[in-house]
Amino acid sequence: MDLETARATFGQSAASYLDVPGLLFKSYLRAEDGLTVGGVYWWADRASAEARYNEGWLAGVTDKYGVAPQVEWFDAPVAVDPIQQMIRVTPPTRQTPTHERP
């Protein structure tokens, strides 16, 4: 998948993640050679993530990309937010956005 195709493909689903319960952050990923794509998600808790990664999600991703996704779990004990000049040791809470969504 070239970069422009990735941007267009990921852009089509990005808005659907804005209000996912428990999701704090998502970043789409594409390997430089375009052969591997994926995402990094930061969840408020494991239960929220497991609720999202259900059979419907698995089937949809498999259908879209032609291969079943691999889910790996990691803890994020510390996160650095240079924009807000914050070091987080606990997940942030959702707040009302102060800007309009694209």
Side-chain angles (χ1 to χ4, degrees):
M1 180 182 297
D2 65 52
L3 187 55
E4 289 306 315
T5 301
R7 187 173 285 118
T9 300
F10 299 156
Q12 290 175 351
S13 68
S16 70
Y17 288 93
L18 289 172
D19 294 313
V20 173
L23 182 63
L24 303 173
F25 173 87
K26 174 183 171 55
S27 181
Y28 291 85
L29 303 175
R30 176 192 158 272
E32 193 171 21
D33 64 7
L35 297 176
T36 303
V37 297
V40 173
Y41 302 76
W42 188 13
W43 295 95
D45 54 74
R46 177 80 175 249
S48 296
E50 289 177 346
R52 180 66 176 193
Y53 301 138
N54 57 34
E55 291 299 317
W57 176 85
L58 177 64
V61 171
T62 302
D63 184 55
K64 186 173 190 173
Y65 296 105
V67 63
Q70 295 179 10
V71 177
E72 294 185 54
W73 301 98
F74 297 87
D75 292 320
V78 176
V80 178
D81 184 340
I83 294 171
Q84 297 295 318
Q85 289 291 291
M86 296 179 71
I87 297 171
R88 300 182 185 278
V89 295
T90 59
T93 58
R94 279 196 186 247
Q95 298 177 4
T96 304
T98 58
H99 61 281
E100 291 187 27
R101 294 179 180 165

Coordinates of all heavy atoms in Angstrom, one line a residue:
M1 N 0.9 -1.2 0.0 CA 0.0 0.0 0.0 C 0.9 1.2 0.0 O 1.7 1.4 0.9 CB -0.9 0.0 1.3 CG -1.8 1.1 1.4 SD -2.9 1.2 2.9 CE -3.8 -0.3 2.7
D2 N 0.8 2.1 -1.0 CA 1.6 3.3 -1.0 C 1.0 4.3 0.0 O -0.1 4.1 0.5 CB 1.7 3.9 -2.4 CG 0.3 4.4 -3.0 OD1 -0.4 5.2 -2.3 OD2 0.0 4.0 -4.1
L3 N 1.8 5.3 0.2 CA 1.5 6.3 1.3 C 0.1 7.0 1.0 O -0.7 7.2 1.9 CB 2.6 7.3 1.5 CG 2.5 8.3 2.6 CD1 2.3 7.5 4.0 CD2 3.7 9.2 2.7
E4 N -0.1 7.4 -0.2 CA -1.3 8.1 -0.5 C -2.6 7.2 -0.4 O -3.6 7.6 0.1 CB -1.3 8.7 -1.9 CG -0.3 9.9 -2.0 CD -0.7 11.0 -1.0 OE1 -1.8 11.3 -0.9 OE2 0.3 11.5 -0.4
T5 N -2.4 5.9 -0.8 CA -3.5 5.0 -0.6 C -3.8 4.7 0.9 O -4.9 4.7 1.3 CB -3.2 3.6 -1.3 OG1 -3.0 3.9 -2.7 CG2 -4.3 2.6 -1.1
A6 N -2.7 4.6 1.7 CA -2.9 4.5 3.1 C -3.6 5.6 3.7 O -4.5 5.5 4.5 CB -1.5 4.3 3.8
R7 N -3.2 6.8 3.3 CA -3.8 8.0 3.9 C -5.3 8.1 3.5 O -6.1 8.3 4.4 CB -3.1 9.3 3.3 CG -3.6 10.6 4.0 CD -2.8 11.8 3.5 NE -1.5 11.8 4.2 CZ -0.3 11.7 3.6 NH1 -0.2 11.6 2.3 NH2 0.8 11.7 4.3
A8 N -5.6 7.7 2.3 CA -7.1 7.7 1.9 C -7.8 6.6 2.6 O -8.9 6.8 3.1 CB -7.1 7.5 0.4
T9 N -7.3 5.4 2.7 CA -7.9 4.3 3.3 C -8.1 4.5 4.8 O -9.2 4.3 5.3 CB -7.1 3.0 3.1 OG1 -7.0 2.8 1.7 CG2 -7.8 1.8 3.7
F10 N -7.1 4.9 5.5 CA -7.2 5.2 6.9 C -8.1 6.4 7.2 O -8.9 6.4 8.1 CB -5.8 5.4 7.5 CG -4.9 4.2 7.4 CD1 -3.5 4.5 7.4 CD2 -5.3 2.9 7.2 CE1 -2.6 3.4 7.3 CE2 -4.4 1.9 7.1 CZ -3.1 2.1 7.1
G11 N -8.0 7.4 6.3 CA -8.9 8.5 6.5 C -10.4 8.2 6.4 O -11.2 8.9 7.1
Q12 N -10.7 7.2 5.7 CA -12.2 6.8 5.6 C -12.7 6.3 6.9 O -13.9 6.4 7.2 CB -12.3 5.8 4.5 CG -12.2 6.3 3.1 CD -12.2 5.3 2.0 OE1 -12.3 4.1 2.3 NE2 -12.2 5.7 0.8
S13 N -11.8 5.7 7.7 CA -12.3 5.1 9.0 C -12.0 5.9 10.2 O -12.5 5.6 11.3 CB -11.8 3.7 9.2 OG -10.4 3.7 9.4
A14 N -11.2 6.9 10.1 CA -10.7 7.7 11.2 C -11.8 8.3 12.1 O -11.8 8.2 13.3 CB -9.7 8.8 10.8
A15 N -12.8 8.9 11.5 CA -13.9 9.5 12.3 C -14.6 8.5 13.1 O -15.2 8.8 14.2 CB -14.8 10.3 11.3
S16 N -14.7 7.2 12.7 CA -15.4 6.2 13.4 C -14.7 5.9 14.8 O -15.4 5.3 15.6 CB -15.6 4.9 12.6 OG -14.3 4.3 12.5
Y17 N -13.5 6.4 15.0 CA -12.8 6.2 16.3 C -13.0 7.3 17.2 O -12.5 7.3 18.4 CB -11.4 5.9 16.0 CG -11.1 4.5 15.4 CD1 -11.1 4.4 14.0 CD2 -11.0 3.4 16.2 CE1 -10.9 3.1 13.5 CE2 -10.8 2.1 15.7 CZ -10.7 2.0 14.3 OH -10.5 0.8 13.7
L18 N -13.6 8.4 16.8 CA -13.6 9.6 17.7 C -14.4 9.4 19.0 O -14.1 10.0 20.0 CB -14.2 10.8 16.9 CG -13.3 11.4 15.8 CD1 -14.1 12.4 15.0 CD2 -12.1 12.0 16.5
D19 N -15.4 8.6 18.9 CA -16.3 8.4 20.1 C -16.3 6.9 20.6 O -17.3 6.5 21.2 CB -17.7 8.9 19.8 CG -17.7 10.4 19.6 OD1 -17.1 11.1 20.4 OD2 -18.3 10.8 18.6
V20 N -15.2 6.2 20.4 CA -15.2 4.8 20.9 C -15.0 4.8 22.4 O -14.0 5.4 22.9 CB -14.0 4.0 20.2 CG1 -13.9 2.7 20.8 CG2 -14.3 3.9 18.7
P21 N -15.9 4.2 23.1 CA -15.7 4.2 24.6 C -14.4 3.6 25.1 O -14.0 2.5 24.6 CB -16.9 3.3 25.1 CG -17.9 3.3 24.0 CD -17.1 3.5 22.7
G22 N -13.7 4.4 25.9 CA -12.4 3.9 26.4 C -11.2 4.2 25.6 O -10.1 4.0 26.1
L23 N -11.4 4.6 24.3 CA -10.2 4.9 23.5 C -9.7 6.3 23.7 O -10.4 7.2 23.7 CB -10.6 4.7 22.0 CG -9.5 4.9 21.0 CD1 -8.4 3.9 21.2 CD2 -10.0 4.9 19.6
L24 N -8.4 6.3 24.1 CA -7.8 7.6 24.4 C -6.9 8.1 23.2 O -6.7 9.3 23.1 CB -6.9 7.4 25.6 CG -7.6 6.9 26.9 CD1 -6.5 6.7 27.9 CD2 -8.6 7.9 27.3
F25 N -6.4 7.2 22.4 CA -5.5 7.6 21.3 C -5.5 6.4 20.3 O -5.5 5.3 20.6 CB -4.1 7.8 21.8 CG -3.1 8.1 20.8 CD1 -2.8 9.4 20.3 CD2 -2.3 7.0 20.3 CE1 -1.8 9.6 19.4 CE2 -1.3 7.3 19.4 CZ -1.1 8.6 18.9
K26 N -5.4 6.8 19.0 CA -5.2 5.8 17.9 C -4.3 6.5 16.9 O -4.5 7.6 16.5 CB -6.4 5.4 17.3 CG -6.2 4.5 16.0 CD -7.4 4.1 15.3 CE -7.2 3.4 14.0 NZ -6.4 2.2 14.0
S27 N -3.3 5.7 16.4 CA -2.4 6.2 15.4 C -2.3 5.0 14.3 O -2.1 3.9 14.7 CB -1.0 6.5 15.9 OG -0.2 6.9 14.8
Y28 N -2.6 5.4 13.1 CA -2.5 4.4 12.0 C -1.0 4.3 11.6 O -0.3 5.2 11.7 CB -3.3 4.8 10.8 CG -4.8 4.8 11.0 CD1 -5.4 5.9 11.5 CD2 -5.5 3.8 10.5 CE1 -6.8 5.9 11.7 CE2 -6.9 3.8 10.7 CZ -7.5 4.9 11.2 OH -8.9 4.9 11.4
L29 N -0.6 3.0 11.3 CA 0.8 2.8 10.9 C 0.9 2.1 9.6 O 0.0 1.4 9.2 CB 1.4 1.8 12.0 CG 1.4 2.3 13.4 CD1 2.0 1.2 14.3 CD2 2.2 3.6 13.6
R30 N 2.0 2.4 8.9 CA 2.3 1.8 7.6 C 3.8 1.6 7.5 O 4.6 2.6 7.7 CB 1.8 2.7 6.4 CG 2.2 2.2 5.1 CD 2.0 3.3 4.0 NE 2.8 3.1 2.8 CZ 4.0 3.5 2.6 NH1 4.7 4.1 3.6 NH2 4.7 3.2 1.5
A31 N 4.2 0.4 7.2 CA 5.6 0.1 7.1 C 6.1 0.9 5.8 O 5.4 1.1 4.9 CB 5.9 -1.4 7.0
E32 N 7.4 1.2 5.8 CA 8.0 2.0 4.7 C 7.8 1.2 3.4 O 7.5 1.9 2.3 CB 9.4 2.2 5.0 CG 10.0 3.2 4.0 CD 11.4 3.7 4.4 OE1 12.1 2.9 5.2 OE2 11.9 4.7 4.0
D33 N 7.8 -0.1 3.4 CA 7.7 -0.9 2.1 C 6.2 -1.0 1.8 O 5.9 -1.6 0.7 CB 8.4 -2.2 2.2 CG 7.8 -3.1 3.3 OD1 6.7 -2.8 3.9 OD2 8.4 -4.2 3.5
G34 N 5.3 -0.6 2.6 CA 3.9 -0.7 2.3 C 3.2 -2.0 2.5 O 2.1 -2.2 2.3
L35 N 4.0 -3.0 2.9 CA 3.5 -4.4 3.0 C 2.8 -4.7 4.4 O 2.0 -5.6 4.5 CB 4.7 -5.4 2.9 CG 5.3 -5.4 1.5 CD1 6.5 -6.3 1.5 CD2 4.3 -5.7 0.4
T36 N 3.1 -3.8 5.4 CA 2.4 -4.0 6.7 C 1.8 -2.7 7.1 O 2.4 -1.7 7.0 CB 3.5 -4.4 7.7 OG1 4.2 -5.6 7.3 CG2 2.9 -4.7 9.1
V37 N 0.5 -2.9 7.6 CA -0.2 -1.7 8.1 C -0.8 -2.1 9.5 O -0.9 -3.3 9.8 CB -1.3 -1.2 7.2 CG1 -0.8 -0.7 5.9 CG2 -2.4 -2.3 7.0
G38 N -1.1 -1.2 10.3 CA -1.6 -1.5 11.6 C -2.0 -0.2 12.3 O -2.2 0.9 11.7
G39 N -2.0 -0.3 13.6 CA -2.4 0.8 14.5 C -1.9 0.6 15.9 O -1.6 -0.5 16.3
V40 N -1.7 1.7 16.5 CA -1.4 1.7 17.9 C -2.5 2.4 18.6 O -3.0 3.5 18.2 CB -0.1 2.5 18.2 CG1 0.2 2.7 19.7 CG2 1.1 1.8 17.6
Y41 N -3.0 1.8 19.7 CA -4.2 2.3 20.4 C -3.8 2.4 21.9 O -3.1 1.6 22.4 CB -5.3 1.3 20.4 CG -5.8 0.9 19.0 CD1 -5.1 0.0 18.2 CD2 -7.0 1.4 18.5 CE1 -5.5 -0.3 16.9 CE2 -7.5 1.0 17.2 CZ -6.7 0.2 16.4 OH -7.2 -0.1 15.2
W42 N -4.3 3.5 22.5 CA -4.1 3.7 23.9 C -5.5 3.6 24.5 O -6.4 4.5 24.2 CB -3.4 5.0 24.2 CG -3.0 5.1 25.7 CD1 -3.0 4.2 26.6 CD2 -2.6 6.4 26.3 NE1 -2.6 4.7 27.8 CE2 -2.3 6.1 27.6 CE3 -2.4 7.7 25.8 CZ2 -1.9 7.0 28.5 CZ3 -2.0 8.6 26.7 CH2 -1.7 8.3 28.0
W43 N -5.8 2.7 25.4 CA -7.1 2.5 26.0 C -7.1 2.9 27.4 O -6.0 2.7 28.1 CB -7.5 1.0 25.9 CG -7.7 0.5 24.5 CD1 -6.7 -0.1 23.7 CD2 -8.8 0.7 23.7 NE1 -7.3 -0.3 22.4 CE2 -8.5 0.1 22.4 CE3 -10.1 1.2 23.9 CZ2 -9.5 0.1 21.4 CZ3 -11.0 1.2 22.9 CH2 -10.7 0.6 21.6
A44 N -8.2 3.3 27.9 CA -8.3 3.6 29.3 C -8.2 2.4 30.2 O -7.7 2.4 31.3 CB -9.7 4.4 29.6
D45 N -8.7 1.3 29.7 CA -8.6 0.0 30.4 C -8.7 -1.2 29.4 O -9.2 -1.0 28.3 CB -9.7 -0.1 31.4 CG -11.1 0.2 30.8 OD1 -11.6 -0.7 30.1 OD2 -11.7 1.3 31.0
R46 N -8.3 -2.3 29.9 CA -8.3 -3.5 29.0 C -9.7 -3.9 28.6 O -9.9 -4.4 27.4 CB -7.6 -4.6 29.8 CG -7.6 -6.0 29.1 CD -6.5 -6.1 28.1 NE -6.4 -7.4 27.5 CZ -5.4 -8.2 27.7 NH1 -4.3 -7.9 28.4 NH2 -5.3 -9.4 27.1
A47 N -10.7 -3.8 29.5 CA -12.1 -4.1 29.1 C -12.6 -3.4 27.9 O -13.3 -3.9 27.1 CB -13.0 -3.9 30.3
S48 N -12.3 -2.1 27.8 CA -12.7 -1.3 26.7 C -12.1 -1.8 25.4 O -12.8 -1.9 24.4 CB -12.3 0.2 26.9 OG -13.0 0.8 28.0
A49 N -10.8 -2.1 25.5 CA -10.1 -2.7 24.3 C -10.7 -4.0 23.9 O -11.0 -4.2 22.7 CB -8.7 -2.8 24.5
E50 N -11.0 -4.9 24.8 CA -11.5 -6.2 24.5 C -12.9 -6.1 23.9 O -13.3 -6.9 23.1 CB -11.5 -7.1 25.7 CG -10.0 -7.5 26.1 CD -9.9 -8.3 27.3 OE1 -10.9 -8.4 28.1 OE2 -8.9 -8.9 27.5
A51 N -13.7 -5.1 24.4 CA -15.0 -4.9 23.9 C -15.0 -4.5 22.4 O -15.8 -4.9 21.6 CB -15.8 -3.8 24.7
R52 N -14.0 -3.7 22.0 CA -13.8 -3.3 20.6 C -13.3 -4.4 19.7 O -13.8 -4.5 18.6 CB -12.9 -2.1 20.6 CG -12.7 -1.5 19.2 CD -13.9 -0.9 18.6 NE -13.7 -0.3 17.4 CZ -14.5 0.5 16.8 NH1 -15.6 0.8 17.3 NH2 -14.2 1.1 15.6
Y53 N -12.4 -5.2 20.2 CA -11.8 -6.2 19.4 C -12.6 -7.5 19.4 O -12.2 -8.5 19.8 CB -10.4 -6.5 19.8 CG -9.4 -5.3 19.8 CD1 -8.5 -5.1 20.8 CD2 -9.5 -4.5 18.7 CE1 -7.7 -4.0 20.7 CE2 -8.6 -3.4 18.6 CZ -7.7 -3.1 19.6 OH -6.9 -2.1 19.6
N54 N -13.9 -7.4 19.0 CA -14.8 -8.5 19.0 C -14.8 -9.2 17.6 O -14.0 -8.8 16.7 CB -16.2 -8.0 19.3 CG -16.7 -6.9 18.4 OD1 -16.4 -6.9 17.2 ND2 -17.4 -5.9 18.9
E55 N -15.6 -10.2 17.5 CA -15.7 -10.9 16.2 C -16.0 -10.1 15.0 O -15.5 -10.3 13.9 CB -16.7 -12.1 16.4 CG -16.2 -13.2 17.3 CD -14.9 -13.8 16.9 OE1 -14.7 -14.1 15.7 OE2 -14.1 -14.1 17.8
G56 N -16.9 -9.1 15.2 CA -17.3 -8.2 14.1 C -16.1 -7.4 13.7 O -15.9 -7.2 12.4
W57 N -15.3 -6.9 14.6 CA -14.1 -6.1 14.3 C -13.1 -7.0 13.5 O -12.6 -6.6 12.5 CB -13.5 -5.5 15.5 CG -12.2 -4.8 15.3 CD1 -12.0 -3.5 14.9 CD2 -10.9 -5.4 15.4 NE1 -10.7 -3.2 14.8 CE2 -10.0 -4.3 15.1 CE3 -10.4 -6.6 15.7 CZ2 -8.6 -4.5 15.1 CZ3 -9.0 -6.8 15.7 CH2 -8.1 -5.8 15.4
L58 N -12.9 -8.2 14.0 CA -12.0 -9.1 13.4 C -12.4 -9.4 12.0 O -11.6 -9.4 11.1 CB -11.9 -10.4 14.2 CG -11.0 -11.5 13.7 CD1 -9.6 -11.1 13.6 CD2 -11.2 -12.8 14.5
A59 N -13.7 -9.7 11.8 CA -14.2 -10.0 10.4 C -14.0 -8.8 9.5 O -13.6 -9.0 8.3 CB -15.6 -10.5 10.5
G60 N -14.3 -7.6 10.0 CA -14.2 -6.4 9.2 C -12.8 -6.1 8.7 O -12.5 -5.8 7.6
V61 N -11.9 -6.3 9.7 CA -10.4 -6.0 9.3 C -9.9 -7.1 8.4 O -9.2 -6.8 7.4 CB -9.6 -5.9 10.6 CG1 -8.1 -5.9 10.3 CG2 -10.0 -4.7 11.4
T62 N -10.3 -8.3 8.6 CA -9.9 -9.4 7.7 C -10.4 -9.2 6.3 O -9.7 -9.4 5.3 CB -10.3 -10.8 8.3 OG1 -9.8 -10.9 9.6 CG2 -9.9 -11.9 7.5
D63 N -11.7 -8.8 6.2 CA -12.3 -8.6 4.9 C -11.6 -7.4 4.2 O -11.3 -7.5 3.0 CB -13.8 -8.4 5.1 CG -14.5 -8.2 3.8 OD1 -14.4 -9.1 2.9 OD2 -15.2 -7.2 3.6
K64 N -11.4 -6.4 4.9 CA -10.8 -5.2 4.3 C -9.4 -5.4 3.8 O -9.0 -4.9 2.7 CB -10.8 -4.0 5.3 CG -10.4 -2.7 4.8 CD -10.6 -1.6 5.8 CE -10.4 -0.2 5.2 NZ -10.8 0.8 6.1
Y65 N -8.5 -6.1 4.6 CA -7.1 -6.2 4.2 C -6.7 -7.6 3.8 O -5.6 -7.8 3.4 CB -6.2 -5.8 5.4 CG -6.4 -4.3 5.8 CD1 -7.2 -4.0 6.9 CD2 -5.9 -3.3 5.0 CE1 -7.4 -2.6 7.3 CE2 -6.1 -2.0 5.3 CZ -6.8 -1.7 6.5 OH -7.0 -0.3 6.8
G66 N -7.6 -8.5 3.8 CA -7.3 -9.9 3.3 C -6.5 -10.7 4.2 O -6.1 -11.8 3.8
V67 N -6.3 -10.3 5.4 CA -5.6 -11.1 6.4 C -6.1 -10.8 7.8 O -6.4 -9.6 8.1 CB -4.0 -10.9 6.3 CG1 -3.7 -9.4 6.6 CG2 -3.2 -11.8 7.1
A68 N -6.1 -11.8 8.7 CA -6.6 -11.5 10.0 C -5.5 -10.7 10.8 O -4.3 -10.9 10.6 CB -6.8 -12.8 10.8
P69 N -6.0 -9.7 11.6 CA -5.1 -8.9 12.3 C -4.4 -9.6 13.5 O -5.0 -10.6 14.0 CB -5.9 -7.8 12.8 CG -7.3 -8.4 13.0 CD -7.4 -9.3 11.8
Q70 N -3.3 -9.2 13.9 CA -2.6 -9.7 15.0 C -2.7 -8.7 16.1 O -2.3 -7.5 15.9 CB -1.1 -10.0 14.8 CG -0.9 -11.1 13.7 CD 0.6 -11.3 13.5 OE1 1.5 -10.8 14.2 NE2 0.9 -12.1 12.5
V71 N -3.2 -9.0 17.3 CA -3.4 -8.1 18.4 C -2.4 -8.5 19.4 O -2.3 -9.6 19.9 CB -4.8 -8.1 19.0 CG1 -4.9 -7.2 20.2 CG2 -5.8 -7.8 17.9
E72 N -1.6 -7.5 19.8 CA -0.6 -7.7 20.9 C -0.9 -6.7 22.0 O -1.3 -5.5 21.7 CB 0.8 -7.5 20.4 CG 1.3 -8.5 19.4 CD 2.7 -8.3 19.1 OE1 3.6 -8.3 20.0 OE2 3.0 -8.2 17.9
W73 N -0.8 -7.1 23.2 CA -1.1 -6.2 24.4 C 0.2 -5.7 25.0 O 1.1 -6.5 25.3 CB -1.9 -7.0 25.4 CG -3.2 -7.5 24.8 CD1 -3.4 -8.8 24.4 CD2 -4.4 -6.8 24.6 NE1 -4.7 -8.9 23.9 CE2 -5.3 -7.7 24.1 CE3 -4.8 -5.5 24.9 CZ2 -6.6 -7.4 23.7 CZ3 -6.1 -5.2 24.6 CH2 -7.0 -6.1 24.0
F74 N 0.2 -4.4 25.3 CA 1.3 -3.8 26.0 C 0.8 -2.9 27.1 O -0.2 -2.3 26.9 CB 2.2 -3.0 25.1 CG 2.9 -3.8 24.0 CD1 2.3 -4.0 22.8 CD2 4.2 -4.3 24.2 CE1 2.9 -4.7 21.8 CE2 4.8 -5.0 23.2 CZ 4.1 -5.2 22.0
D75 N 1.5 -2.7 28.2 CA 1.2 -1.7 29.1 C 1.9 -0.5 28.7 O 3.0 -0.5 28.1 CB 1.6 -2.1 30.6 CG 0.8 -3.3 31.1 OD1 -0.4 -3.3 30.9 OD2 1.4 -4.2 31.7
A76 N 1.4 0.7 29.1 CA 2.1 2.0 28.8 C 2.2 2.7 30.1 O 1.4 3.6 30.5 CB 1.3 2.8 27.8
P77 N 3.2 2.3 30.9 CA 3.3 2.9 32.3 C 3.6 4.4 32.3 O 3.3 5.1 33.3 CB 4.4 2.1 32.9 CG 5.2 1.5 31.8 CD 4.2 1.4 30.7
V78 N 4.2 4.9 31.2 CA 4.6 6.3 31.1 C 4.4 6.8 29.7 O 4.8 6.1 28.8 CB 6.0 6.6 31.6 CG1 6.4 8.1 31.4 CG2 6.3 6.2 33.0
A79 N 3.7 7.9 29.5 CA 3.6 8.5 28.2 C 4.0 9.9 28.2 O 3.7 10.7 29.1 CB 2.1 8.4 27.7
V80 N 4.7 10.3 27.2 CA 5.2 11.7 27.1 C 4.4 12.5 26.0 O 4.2 12.0 24.9 CB 6.7 11.7 26.6 CG1 7.2 13.1 26.5 CG2 7.5 10.9 27.6
D81 N 3.8 13.6 26.4 CA 3.0 14.4 25.6 C 3.8 15.8 25.4 O 3.5 16.7 26.2 CB 1.6 14.6 26.2 CG 0.7 15.4 25.3 OD1 1.2 16.1 24.4 OD2 -0.5 15.3 25.5
P82 N 4.6 15.9 24.4 CA 5.4 17.2 24.2 C 4.5 18.4 23.9 O 4.9 19.5 24.3 CB 6.3 16.9 23.1 CG 6.3 15.4 22.9 CD 5.0 14.9 23.4
I83 N 3.4 18.1 23.2 CA 2.5 19.3 22.9 C 1.9 19.9 24.1 O 1.9 21.1 24.3 CB 1.4 18.8 21.9 CG1 2.0 18.4 20.6 CG2 0.4 19.9 21.7 CD1 1.1 17.7 19.6
Q84 N 1.4 19.1 25.1 CA 0.9 19.6 26.3 C 1.9 19.8 27.4 O 1.6 20.2 28.5 CB -0.2 18.6 26.8 CG -1.4 18.5 25.9 CD -2.2 19.8 25.8 OE1 -2.4 20.5 26.7 NE2 -2.5 20.1 24.5
Q85 N 3.2 19.4 27.1 CA 4.3 19.5 28.0 C 3.9 18.7 29.3 O 4.1 19.2 30.4 CB 4.6 20.9 28.4 CG 5.3 21.6 27.2 CD 6.7 21.1 27.0 OE1 7.6 21.3 27.8 NE2 6.9 20.4 25.8
M86 N 3.5 17.4 29.1 CA 3.1 16.6 30.2 C 3.7 15.2 30.1 O 3.9 14.7 29.0 CB 1.6 16.4 30.2 CG 0.8 17.6 30.4 SD -1.0 17.2 30.3 CE -1.2 16.3 31.8
I87 N 4.0 14.7 31.2 CA 4.4 13.3 31.3 C 3.3 12.6 32.1 O 2.9 13.0 33.2 CB 5.8 13.1 32.1 CG1 6.9 13.8 31.3 CG2 6.1 11.6 32.3 CD1 8.2 13.9 32.0
R88 N 2.7 11.6 31.5 CA 1.5 10.9 32.0 C 1.9 9.6 32.6 O 2.6 8.8 31.9 CB 0.5 10.7 31.0 CG -0.1 12.0 30.3 CD -1.2 11.7 29.4 NE -1.6 12.8 28.6 CZ -2.5 13.7 29.1 NH1 -3.0 13.6 30.3 NH2 -2.8 14.8 28.4
V89 N 1.5 9.3 33.8 CA 1.7 8.0 34.5 C 0.4 7.4 34.7 O 0.3 6.2 35.2 CB 2.5 8.1 35.8 CG1 3.9 8.6 35.5 CG2 1.8 9.0 36.8
T90 N -0.7 8.0 34.4 CA -2.1 7.5 34.4 C -2.7 8.0 33.1 O -2.4 9.0 32.6 CB -2.9 7.9 35.6 OG1 -3.0 9.4 35.6 CG2 -2.2 7.5 36.9
P91 N -3.7 7.2 32.6 CA -4.4 7.6 31.4 C -5.1 8.9 31.6 O -5.7 9.2 32.7 CB -5.3 6.5 31.1 CG -4.8 5.3 31.8 CD -4.1 5.9 33.0
P92 N -5.2 9.8 30.6 CA -6.0 11.0 30.7 C -7.5 10.7 30.7 O -7.9 9.6 30.3 CB -5.6 11.8 29.4 CG -5.2 10.7 28.4 CD -4.6 9.6 29.2
T93 N -8.3 11.6 31.1 CA -9.7 11.4 31.0 C -10.2 12.2 29.8 O -9.6 13.2 29.4 CB -10.4 11.9 32.3 OG1 -10.1 13.3 32.5 CG2 -10.0 11.1 33.5
R94 N -11.3 11.8 29.3 CA -11.9 12.5 28.2 C -12.5 13.8 28.7 O -13.1 13.9 29.7 CB -13.1 11.7 27.6 CG -12.6 10.7 26.6 CD -13.8 10.2 25.8 NE -13.4 9.1 25.0 CZ -13.3 9.2 23.7 NH1 -13.6 10.3 23.0 NH2 -12.9 8.1 23.0
Q95 N -12.2 14.9 27.9 CA -12.8 16.2 28.1 C -13.5 16.6 26.9 O -13.2 16.2 25.8 CB -11.7 17.1 28.5 CG -11.0 16.7 29.8 CD -9.8 17.7 30.1 OE1 -9.6 18.7 29.4 NE2 -9.1 17.4 31.1
T96 N -14.4 17.6 27.1 CA -15.1 18.2 25.9 C -14.0 18.8 25.0 O -13.2 19.7 25.5 CB -16.1 19.2 26.4 OG1 -17.0 18.5 27.3 CG2 -16.9 19.7 25.2
P97 N -14.0 18.5 23.7 CA -13.1 19.2 22.8 C -13.2 20.7 22.8 O -14.3 21.2 22.9 CB -13.4 18.6 21.5 CG -14.2 17.3 21.7 CD -14.9 17.6 23.0
T98 N -12.1 21.4 22.7 CA -12.2 22.8 22.6 C -12.1 23.3 21.2 O -12.0 24.5 20.9 CB -11.0 23.5 23.5 OG1 -9.8 23.0 23.0 CG2 -11.2 23.1 24.9
H99 N -12.0 22.4 20.2 CA -11.9 22.7 18.8 C -12.9 21.8 18.1 O -13.4 20.8 18.6 CB -10.5 22.5 18.3 CG -10.0 21.1 18.4 ND1 -9.6 20.6 19.6 CD2 -10.0 20.1 17.5 CE1 -9.3 19.3 19.4 NE2 -9.5 19.0 18.1
E100 N -13.2 22.3 16.9 CA -14.2 21.5 16.1 C -13.5 20.3 15.4 O -12.3 20.4 15.1 CB -14.8 22.4 15.0 CG -15.7 23.4 15.6 CD -16.4 24.2 14.5 OE1 -16.6 23.6 13.4 OE2 -16.8 25.4 14.7
R101 N -14.2 19.3 15.2 CA -13.7 18.1 14.5 C -13.6 18.4 13.0 O -14.5 19.1 12.5 CB -14.5 16.9 14.8 CG -14.5 16.5 16.2 CD -15.4 15.3 16.4 NE -15.4 14.9 17.8 CZ -16.3 14.1 18.4 NH1 -17.3 13.6 17.7 NH2 -16.2 13.8 19.6
P102 N -12.6 17.8 12.4 CA -12.5 18.0 10.9 C -13.7 17.3 10.2 O -14.3 16.4 10.7 CB -11.2 17.3 10.5 CG -10.8 16.5 11.7 CD -11.6 17.0 12.9

